[in-house]
Amino acid sequence: MRKSRRKIDLKKVKAEYVKQHTIYHMNDKSRDNFNKLLGKRLKFGRVARGMTQTKVARQIGVTFQQVQKYEKGDNETSSFRLIQFAGALGTSVKWILKPIIHKEVW
């Protein structure tokens, strides 16, 4: 039996990421915003490098379902996992966290 592979368009993922970035921002009242934005950044990095969730999951030692949950923002990502993600994606933790900017409330 042959597996069907769905081709993911990088431009579409980037547009989705930019849209989410404008919606979500860091604040002390919502951890969900942080997790969703972080998940979008992880997905963007994975897709930009042409990696599957399964390949990333194997490199960081989790199931692909767990990677899905991280990318959706359903599960929180520990700092240790961020280091593992950075290594798997060939980037830095700083790059992963770069778009997550706290909007000051004055």
Side-chain angles (χ1 to χ4, degrees), residues 13-14 16-27 30-45 69-75 77 82 95-103:
V13 173
K14 186 175 182 178
E16 179 183 330
Y17 166 72
V18 170
K19 179 180 152 189
Q20 296 296 323
H21 186 263
T22 58
I23 294 171
Y24 299 116
H25 64 276
M26 279 292 298
N27 64 41
S30 179
R31 295 171 92 166
D32 290 339
N33 289 352
F34 175 82
N35 292 327
K36 289 189 184 304
L37 187 56
L38 181 63
K40 295 294 179 187
R41 185 70 167 181
L42 292 172
K43 182 176 181 179
F44 176 72
K69 290 177 182 180
Y70 288 142
E71 288 183 357
K72 285 182 181 178
D74 292 342
N75 286 10
T77 308
L82 285 177
W95 179 86
I96 293 171
L97 295 175
K98 183 179 179 182
I100 302 171
I101 300 169
H102 180 71
K103 287 188 178 179

Side-chain angles (χ1 to χ4, degrees), residues 4-17:
S4 65
R5 287 199 167 187
R6 191 175 75 181
K7 188 173 180 179
I8 298 176
D9 184 14
L10 182 60
K11 288 181 183 180
K12 183 179 176 183
V13 173
K14 186 175 182 178
E16 179 183 330
Y17 166 72

